[in-house]
Amino acid sequence: MSQPPKAAAKPKWAPVDLFFLIISIGGTLMAALSVAKLLHSAFAIPLSELFVTVFGYYRTLTAILFGWIPELLAGPIALARAWLHIDMPLQEHWLDVFVIQNLHWGVACRLTRSPTALAFNIAMGVLLSLVSALACGLIDTGGVSGEFAFAATGILGMLLFTLSRSVWGAFANPPHGAQTKLGQLWINFRDKRDMLIGAAVLIGAAPLGRFLAPRSGFEFGMFALLAYFVFVAAYWFSQGYLKAMIVVPGPGTRWERTLSSRNGNSMYAFYMGAAFLAGLALIAMNAGLSMLGL
């Protein structure tokens, strides 16, 4: 006797997943504008009248959302400036650095299922992105040392977050096989060697660019930071492809599993890549409008 067909399971509403989905999409849109703003500054691109208005509204929004942070941390910022002998006031591009770094760790939070790991990611993400962004806002990028400091500070903010997740993975979770926790930590760091190499190359490229073109209007430190942002997206996409057959069970080709929403590595790359490409598209639109006198 044939069995009656089973009723399709009703989809469950997951408030936490919905919250992080909204944050990821909203963060991606804001990061796209931050990327466009940093590209504008990095390449000294003139703004069309329309984009002066767009960036004006965007700067107002970021100031409303995050502008209270420097006031709250006025004391520590003053101590850091005195200790490092920094005379420059906090520059507004710290907000753009803060937004793209928030996207970087925010996507990792969306892909995290353990409550303790989620709490760790949020704590480390907020701390590192905040310190890195505020430090970038206090750096004078006019010389070779300034370009190096900006690139190193911005890139290390993202790299250290990635490495902190490797430390958490080694000590908070049971090691694989017969590995000790220290052995697992070494394996986790070894798996990130490409990110370490990429960070070192781009940090070194920023002062080299200023040294070779001292009178250029380019901001090489900002360019290096954006290049590392793209590099991280490419890295996670490659991991999504290489590990697709392991992390996404079930039928499907490698490419189908790579592009699956269940592939966390690919989703990491998707949100970061979407932010950069959208920011690049905005700058291209700005160039076209400028040529038309708009």
Side-chain angles (χ1 to χ4, degrees):
M1 183 174 179
S2 60
Q3 296 291 331
K6 294 182 179 180
K10 293 183 178 180
K12 294 182 179 179
W13 181 61
V16 174
D17 288 344
L18 179 62
F19 171 77
F20 280 119
L21 177 62
I22 294 172
I23 292 297
S24 297
I25 294 174
T28 302
L29 294 174
M30 287 192 64
L33 286 164
S34 290
V35 167
K37 196 76 172 62
L38 288 172
L39 283 171
H40 158 246
S41 300
F43 293 103
I45 301 169
L47 286 179
S48 67
E49 292 184 11
L50 176 61
F51 272 84
V52 168
T53 303
V54 170
F55 283 148
Y57 282 119
Y58 167 68
R59 179 57 72 228
T60 300
L61 176 61
T62 53
I64 291 172
L65 292 175
F66 309 117
W68 53 272
I69 294 177
E71 297 180 10
L72 181 65
L73 300 178
I77 291 174
L79 288 175
R81 292 177 63 190
W83 181 52
L84 298 172
H85 304 288
I86 296 173
D87 297 325
M88 178 174 288
L90 185 66
Q91 301 170 84
E92 66 174 14
H93 63 239
W94 84 268
L95 286 164
D96 304 317
V97 176
F98 187 58
V99 170
I100 65 171
Q101 296 217 10
N102 275 321
L103 175 67
H104 175 247
W105 66 262
V107 174
C109 288
R110 181 172 179 262
L111 301 173
T112 301
R113 291 293 177 260
S114 165
T116 52
L118 177 61
F120 175 83
N121 284 349
I122 292 175
M124 292 303 298
V126 170
L127 175 64
L128 292 171
S129 62
L130 185 58
V131 171
S132 175
L134 289 173
C136 284
L138 293 172
I139 294 172
D140 181 2
T141 58
V144 173
S145 60
E147 296 286 14
F148 171 79
F150 187 98
T153 303
I155 290 173
L156 285 176
M158 287 193 281
L159 177 63
L160 290 177
F161 174 75
T162 301
L163 296 181
S164 72
R165 295 182 70 208
S166 295
V167 174
W168 175 268
F171 287 95
N173 300 316
H176 298 298
Q179 290 291 337
T180 63
K181 291 185 181 295
L182 287 177
Q184 187 60 49
L185 178 62
W186 168 248
I187 291 174
N188 292 352
F189 277 0
R190 187 183 62 194
D191 288 343
K192 302 298 184 297
R193 62 182 180 275
D194 292 339
M195 299 188 77
L196 291 166
I197 293 171
V201 169
L202 290 169
I203 289 172
L208 179 62
R210 178 60 66 193
F211 177 78
L212 295 176
R215 296 177 181 172
S216 170
F218 289 178
E219 293 284 352
F220 293 99
M222 291 183 185
F223 178 78
L225 175 59
L226 290 170
Y228 184 73
F229 189 80
V230 175
F231 175 80
V232 170
Y235 171 85
W236 286 116
F237 186 79
S238 69
Q239 292 299 301
Y241 177 79
L242 293 173
K243 299 178 180 179
M245 306 304 286
I246 300 173
V247 300
V248 181
T253 65
R254 180 179 291 273
W255 274 111
E256 289 173 339
R257 299 190 195 192
T258 299
L259 301 176
S260 170
S261 60
R262 294 180 295 157
N263 191 326
N265 294 326
S266 297
M267 289 299 99
Y268 209 137
F270 170 77
Y271 286 107
M272 295 185 69
F276 182 80
L277 291 176
L280 199 61
L282 289 173
I283 288 298
M285 289 172 58
N286 170 72
L289 291 171
S290 296
M291 293 176 63
L292 295 173
L294 301 175

